[in-house]
Structures are given as structure tokens and as C-alpha cells.
Amino acid sequence: MSSNLPPGQRRIEGFPRFGLTRFAARFPENPNAVKLEVGGEVESALDLSAALRELPRVEQVSDFHCVTTWTATSLRWGGWRYADFHERVAVSRARPKSSARFVVLKAADGGRTILPLEHLLAEDVLLADTLNGEPLTVAHGAPLRLVAPAHYGYKSLKHLCRIEYWSDDSHWRPAAFRFMDHLEARVAREERGRGAPGWLLRLLYRPLVKPTIALFARELARHTR
Ligand SMILES: Nc1nc2c(c(=O)[nH]1)N[C@H]1C(S)=C(S)[C@@H](COP(=O)(O)O)O[C@H]1N2
Ligand SMILES: [Mo]
């Protein structure tokens, strides 16, 4: 898993805190209490966080690919499969329209992302609350985050607190510039952004890695001291 990296990716030591610059100094108000509202085109909008406890826990080891070209290898995530949450909890209790094709995910730091429902149902997509055997830290998305290893890191939303089911993507407003936001963002196909080829975005993004890691570390230190 770790020896052959996808196109344009380079292995990084450790696992840096990362994201769009404007999220560097934003943190969830309550990183200890899981909240998971389900809304959008559903019959009943409700908080389904308690229902997670009814689902089987899973662990998985996967690599994590940031669109800016760094890859953190062999991260051990623990939590619940999104497919289990969807099929055993969301469908029966929130009752999304049968036409639901897209899921918008929203975070307690103001972050958001979108994925086609079919990709969220893949076996390796988790709602994770542990990393390497420890509860998630604020740095890595406490109290709950999405982990979608086949997609660039910007789909693995940290501090997840709301999920919305939609029939189409017409409600979707990207958190970043539109060219940076691919609907699917599959790593194997190098779908880094839309309208611009992956190889070009690699070159644009690579110089941002070091300063962004430094900024996110600085703001975390300021927040936790
Ligand atoms: N809520 C939220 N989720 C987010 C981000 C963010 O800034 N806020 N950044 C995204 C990006 S670009 C990446 S690469 C990963 C980084 O996850 P990490 O900070 O745990 O390394 O989180 C993604 N999910
Ligand atoms: Mo990223």
C-alpha cells in the first residue's frame, strides 16, 4: 500500500495538520461531543450521533493523499463505515429521497465538502473517531471526521457535524475557488481540481506545502496554549 504512491504524490514524514489557509485558526467549539445532524432532502431532519453506537466498530489502515501532493502513509483509523451508517441508520430514520445522489458534509470549523453518495458507500470510507488507537485530536478532526482514502484529502472532512442528502449538486457552493474543487477528486485519476489538469495543479500546489504546514502548526499551538 505504501510503496507505490499515486501519480504526483510524495511521501511525507508524520501527518501534518492541514487545510485551506482560512481554516488554520478555526476550531470546533465543542471538540468532545459528537453531533451528527442529517438533513437536506430527507423526510425527518435529526441528530443521529447516538445511533453510531449501535453500529459495528471497524479499523482500517490507509494512506492519506493531500491534493497539494503530500501523502501520509499507513494511518490506522477507527470508527464506523459510512455505508453502515447510511444503510442501517440514515435511510430508516432520516429517510432521504430515493433520488439522493450527492451528500454535502459540513464541519464545526465552517468547512464543507461534497461527494457522490455512491463513493461514500465504498468499503474504505469511514466516520472516524480514533487515529492510531487514540481518540481523534483537534488537529486531526475531533470529535468525528470523514476518511475517504481514494479521494484527495479535502474530501476527508474534519470536525464533521452535519450531513445533507441532495438529488443534485445545484445547492453546492465550494469552500475554495471552483477550479480547486472537483466533485469526485479521485486520487487514482488525479482529479485534483476542475478545468485544470492534475499535473498543472501539482506544480501550483507544491510550493504551498511547507508554509501551510507551518501556519497550521502555529495556529494550533496558539489555540492549545
Ligand atoms: N473541517 C475541515 N476539514 C478539512 C480541512 C479543513 O481545513 N477543515 N482540510 C482538508 C484538507 S485540504 C486536508 S489535506 C485534510 C488534512 O487533514 P489533517 O489536518 O488531519 O492532516 O483535511 C481536510 N478536511
Ligand atoms: Mo489537502
Side-chain angles (χ1 to χ4, degrees), residues 15-19 23 64 66 107 109 139-140 145 153 156-158:
F15 185 33
R17 175 172 183 255
F18 207 88
F23 292 109
F64 190 98
C66 173
D109 65 349
H140 291 301
R145 80 176 297 167
S156 288
L157 195 74
K158 298 186 281 188

Side-chain angles (χ1 to χ4, degrees), residues 15-24 26 28 64-68 70 72 75 77 106-113 131 136-141 144-146 152-160 212 216:
F15 185 33
R17 175 172 183 255
F18 207 88
L20 290 170
T21 303
R22 70 188 161 94
F23 292 109
R26 292 202 204 162
F64 190 98
H65 310 288
C66 173
V67 72
T68 62
W70 60 262
L75 302 176
W77 299 103
K106 295 186 173 170
D109 65 349
R112 58 185 181 269
T113 193
L131 171 58
L136 271 190
T137 57
V138 165
H140 291 301
L144 186 74
R145 80 176 297 167
L146 191 80
Y152 286 114
Y154 62 90
K155 299 294 184 180
S156 288
L157 195 74
K158 298 186 281 188
H159 319 302
L160 176 66
T212 306
F216 270 72

